Amino acid sequence: MIRYILRRLLGAIPTLFLVVTVAFFLIRIAPGGPFDAERALEPTVLANLNAYFHLDKPLYEQYFRYLGNLLQGDMGPSFFRRDFSVHELLADGLPVSMLLGSLALLMAVVFGSILGCIAALRQNSWIDYTVIAIATFGITVPNFVVAPILALIFGVALNLLPTGGWGGGHPANLVMPVIALGLPQVAVIARLIRGAMIEALRSDHVRTARAYGLPTRMIVVTHSLRAACLPAVSYLGPAAAGLLTGSIVIEQVFGLPGIGREFVNAALSRDYTLVMGTVIVIAVFVLIFNLIVDILYAALDPRVRYE
Amino acid sequence: MTDPILDIKDIHVSFDTPDGPVDAVRGVNMKVIPGETVAIVGESGSGKSQAMMATMGLLADNGTVRGSAIYRGTQLIGMSKSDLNKIRGAKITMIFQEPMTSLDPLYSIEFQICEPLRVHGGLSKQAARDRALELLELVQIPNAKDRLKAYPHELSGGQRQRVMIAMALANNPDLLIADEPTTALDVTIQAEILALLADLQKRLGMSILFITHDLGIVDAFADRVYVMRAGQVVEEGPAEQIFNAPREDYTKLLLGAEPDGTKDPVPETAPMVLSANDMVVTFSSGGGFLGGKLREVKAVKDVSLSLQKGQTLGIVGESGSGKSTLGRAILQLLPSDGRVVFADNVISGLSRHQMQAYRRDLQMVFQDPYGSLSPRMTVGEIVTEGLLVHEPGISAKDRDRRATEALRAVDLDPAVRRRFPHEFSGGQRQRIAIARAVILRPTVMVLDEPTSALDRSVQKQIITLLRDIQTELELSYIFISHDLSVVRALSDTVMVMKNGEVVEHGSTANIFNAPTSDYTRHLMRAAFDLKSVLKEHANTIA
Ligand SMILES: Nc1ncnc2c1ncn2[C@@H]1O[C@H](COP(=O)(O)OP(=O)(O)OP(=O)(O)O)[C@@H](O)[C@H]1O
Ligand SMILES: [Mg+2]
C-alpha cells in the first residue's frame, strides 16, 4: 500500500514536469507581454524591465532558469504585482480558496449523498421528484447566475448577509459563496448516488440479501450504498481538485481574494510567473486527488485492488 | 398424507411494463410435503422462477402477486417484511439461477456466508466463521480455509454457486428452493452436490423444491414433478409417471427434446481459420487491500488447438478447469502467453487498438448472460451496439432490420427491442446474448455455456439455430460447455480439460465412445448415468 502510494507519487513527477513545460511555452505563445497592459512605457524603461526579469534572454534559457529556480522551491517574483513573490500571492490566496472549496465539498458530499439515497429509496415518490427537480436546477443553472441572485436576495433585499468581501474569513461572508459553489456539486452527487443506488437495489445480490432475511438497514447500507458510492467517488476526484483550487466565478462575484481570481488576473495581464504558479498548484491538486480517488476506490471495491 | 410444508394456491404474478402488463404466472398450485423433493420443469420464460420469487416476497418492483402461499400454517403472501425476514434465510432458503451475480462483489465470501448465520442464529463472529469454513468444506470448495477471504470475482461460476449452496444450508433450513442449482456446475460436481443434498435431506428432513431444465436430474433426484408452460402448471405427478406415462403433449415434447444428431466433420481440406499454440494464462490473486501474500495460479497450462473453417471444437471439463479462461485468452480478452493465429495473422500480443480490426470476426457469447448485458440499455441497443462499432455506415433503418432478423433468428419477438434485460428470463437473456453476436456475422464464435441456462426444448432450438447459422455463414465455433450431450450434438472434435491442462483431445466419436482417460470416463458417467452415480453415493454414505 505504502509502496503503491510512493510509486504513484514518483510517477507523478514526469506528469508535473510535462505540465510545467507545456504551460510555460503555451503562455508565451499568447500575444502580448506582461508590461503591455499599462500605459505605453518608455522604450528604455520597458527594456530595463525586460532585462530585470530576464525576458530579453532566449526562451529556452528562460525556461531552464525557471526550472532551476522551481527545483529550489522558488517560483519567482510576480511580474504584475511586482512587490510580491508568486509564493506570497499563492500563500495568501490558497487558504481562502481551500477553505471555501472544502466547505463546498463537505456540503456536496453530505447533502448530495443524503438526497440521492432518499430519492433512490423512495423512487417515484414526491420526495424523489423534488430531489430530481433540485438536481436538475443545480446542474443546469450556472453559478454565475446563482451567485448574483443569492447576493441580491440575501445581501441586498433581505440584508441578512454581506454581499461580498472576505471579512477576514468571517462565517457570514462564507455562507453565500459556499452555497453558490456547492449547489451544483450537491446536484451532481445526488444524481450520481440516486442512479447508482437504484441500480444497486435492483441487483441480483441485493435480492440474495433480501432472500436471506437481512434487515433493511444492512441491505441499504452494506449491500447497496457502498456500491452506489463508487461513481460519486470517481467524479469527486477531479471535482474536488477544482473546488479547492478556487472558483473564478464565485471569487469574482463575491470579491474574495482566492487564487481563482488571482489566476484570471494573472492570465489577463500576462503575469507569466503567477500563471505558472497557479497552474502548478492546480496540477498538484489534481494529481493528489486522483491518487486519493484510486485509493478510496480500491478500498471500496476489491475488484480493482492493485499490486 | 402429511400436511404440506409449503402449499401454494392460485398464485398469479404480473409485471407492469411499458408495453402493458405481462402475466408471468397465471394461477399456479403447488405443494411440498416434508422431506420431499419436488422438481419444476418447463420452458424458459414459463414463470418457474417468478412463481418462487413471488412466494418469497422477492418480486422486482414492477411485479405484483395474488394468491396464497402457506408455510407451516403461516400465510407468506402479504406478510410484513420483518415477519418474513424471520423465515427467509432461516427456515426457507434459496439458491438463485444467476451464480455470477447473486453474490455481492464487494464482500468476501466469508462475510456473506456469516451474515445470515449471525442475523438468524445470533452466532458470535468466531462461531460463524467456524461454521462458514465447515460449510465451504461441505460443498467441497478446494482449500476452503484460504478461500474464506476470497471475493466472488476470484471464484469460478461453479465455485460461486457452491458458495450460494453453502449459504443456503447454513441455518439448516426446512425447505430449500433451488433455481437451477447445478446448472453452472460441471457434471461430476453436480453429481456430488446432488448426492450431498440428498444426504442432508435424509439427515435433516429438509424438503427441496427445485427448478431445472435437466431431465436427467429430475429422473435421478425428484420424487414429484410439476411441468410448467406459459405461466401455468400443465401436468403434475410422481417422477416415474411423468417419465413413463406423460399425459400432456407438451410433456412428451420436453421428454423428446434431448439433443440428438451429430455434426458432419468438415473436409480435411477446409482452410485453417484459427490456431493457438502453447497458451498459458497466469492469474495472481490474494494480497488484501493492505498488501499481503500473493498467490500465482496458472489457469491454463500449455494448451494448443486449431480450428478449421466450419469446424466446431467442444471444450468440456469441470468448473475452474480453465475452459472460459482459455476461450477469452484466445480472443485476446485476457493477457496470456502463447501464439494465436487468425486467418494467417498473428493476433497474440496485439494492442487493444490493433485487435479492434479483428473483433468483429471473433465474437464471444459469455457464460453469464445477465452480467454481460448492460442493465441500462434496451435489448435493441444491446443487439445493435456492435453494428455501430463495426459497420458505422449503415442506416438506422437497416440496423433495425438487422436487429429484427437477429432476434427472430434466436426466436425472440422483435417487439422486445424496447425492453430492458432484467425483464427477461434466464433463457431469454441468453438468446439476446447470442443475437448480439450473430448480428455481426462473425467468422469465429466462442460460445461459453450458451445453452446451460436453457431448458431442453429451447436448447434444441438453439442447437438447430447454431447449426443453421454455422452452415449458412461457414462459422467456426469454440463451444465451451459442461453439458456433454450438447457438446456431442454440435462438435467435430472435443477437448477435455482439467486443472488448466488438456486431458484428452480427439474426434467427438472417439471421446464419447472410447474415452482413454479415467477422468473422461468419470465425466461421461456423471453425465449420462446420474441415477446410478447417486445410488452409489447413497450407499457409501449409508
Ligand atoms: N421484472 C420483470 N418485468 C417484466 N417481465 C418480467 C420481469 N421478470 C420476469 N418477467 C417475465 O416473466 C416471465 C417468466 O419469467 P421467469 O423468470 O419466471 O421464467 P423461467 O420459467 O424461470 O425461465 P428460465 O428457465 O429461462 O429461467 C418471462 O416472460 C419474463 O420475461
Ligand atoms: Mg428462471
Side-chain angles (χ1 to χ4, degrees), chain A residues 213-248:
Chain A
L214 302 188
T216 308
R217 178 181 47 82
M218 283 168 85
I219 290 174
V220 172
V221 179
T222 314
H223 291 288
S224 312
L225 189 56
R226 181 163 165 185
C229 284
L230 293 172
V233 166
S234 341
Y235 166 78
L236 271 176
L243 285 176
L244 294 183
T245 49
S247 153
I248 294 152

Side-chain angles (χ1 to χ4, degrees), chain B residues 15-17 22 24 42-51 60 62 97 179-180 419 422-428 453 455:
Chain B
F15 291 99
D16 228 5
T17 71
V22 173
E43 68 188 346
S44 168
S46 60
K48 308 181 296 288
S49 303
Q50 297 311 322
N62 63 338
Q97 195 170 1
D179 197 345
E180 309 275 5
R419 288 166 62 185
H422 73 268
E423 297 173 30
F424 291 87
S425 75
Q428 291 167 324
D455 59 275

Side-chain angles (χ1 to χ4, degrees), chain B residues 313-440:
Chain B
L313 166 68
I315 303 182
V316 298
E318 65 188 30
S319 86
S321 63
K323 309 183 296 282
S324 305
T325 309
L326 174 64
R328 286 170 201 232
I330 290 171
L331 295 197
Q332 307 299 312
L333 295 167
L334 270 182
S336 59
D337 295 321
R339 188 180 143 91
V340 183
V341 179
F342 167 69
D344 297 331
N345 301 306
V346 179
I347 58 167
S348 42
L350 290 190
S351 71
R352 196 184 264 245
H353 180 70
Q354 292 167 312
M355 262 316 284
Q356 197 59 36
Y358 299 101
R359 281 275 169 252
R360 175 195 176 152
D361 283 313
L362 303 170
Q363 283 295 312
M364 175 130 190
V365 174
F366 288 99
Q367 177 170 15
D368 162 33
Y370 196 38
S372 62
L373 301 179
S374 167
R376 271 172 297 196
M377 287 163 73
T378 63
V379 170
E381 286 165 350
I382 290 172
V383 171
T384 54
E385 195 183 19
L387 279 185
L388 286 178
V389 177
H390 296 289
E391 294 180 45
I394 73 175
S395 69
K397 208 163 149 203
D398 279 344
R399 238 186 354 255
D400 205 51
R401 190 180 46 75
R402 293 269 292 269
T404 309
E405 270 171 28
L407 287 169
R408 281 232 177 82
V410 297
D411 207 35
L412 280 173
D413 182 354
V416 302
R417 290 202 300 284
R418 275 175 299 135
R419 288 166 62 185
F420 290 90
H422 73 268
E423 297 173 30
F424 291 87
S425 75
Q428 291 167 324
R429 291 173 193 169
Q430 188 66 70
R431 281 181 268 167
I432 296 169
I434 296 177
R436 171 170 67 174
V438 168
I439 198 172
L440 293 173

Side-chain angles (χ1 to χ4, degrees), chain A residues 1 199 202 204-205 207-208 210-215 218 222-223 226-227 295 298-303 305, chain B residues 53 57-58 85 88-89 94 96 98 101-107 115 120 151 153 164 167-168 289 370 376:
Chain A
M1 173 73 183
E199 197 175 318
R202 259 198 213 149
D204 284 349
H205 65 259
R207 184 185 61 194
T208 306
R210 289 201 284 144
Y212 280 79
L214 302 188
M218 283 168 85
T222 314
H223 291 288
R226 181 163 165 185
I295 292 172
L300 286 173
D301 189 345
R303 286 166 296 184
R305 273 168 204 182
Chain B
M53 297 294 172
L58 296 172
N85 280 347
R88 298 196 288 204
M94 291 185 84
F96 295 98
E98 298 84 9
T101 48
S102 291
L103 294 168
D104 191 331
L106 304 186
Y107 295 90
E115 250 183 340
H120 296 290
Y151 289 89
H153 72 273
M164 259 329 290
M167 258 173 95
F289 174 52
Y370 196 38
R376 271 172 297 196

Side-chain angles (χ1 to χ4, degrees), chain B residues 6-12 25-32 38 40 51-52 55 66-69 209 224-228 231-237:
Chain B
L6 182 70
D7 191 356
I8 295 176
K9 280 210 183 92
D10 201 27
I11 284 275
H12 291 257
V25 179
R26 302 180 294 149
V28 160
N29 298 304
M30 280 178 195
K31 264 193 192 96
V32 185
V38 176
I40 308 175
M52 295 303 112
T55 305
R66 261 182 317 120
S68 148
L209 176 56
R224 226 148 41 77
V225 183
Y226 289 95
V227 181
M228 278 188 74
Q232 288 175 319
V233 173
V234 292
E235 185 165 359
E236 182 262 309

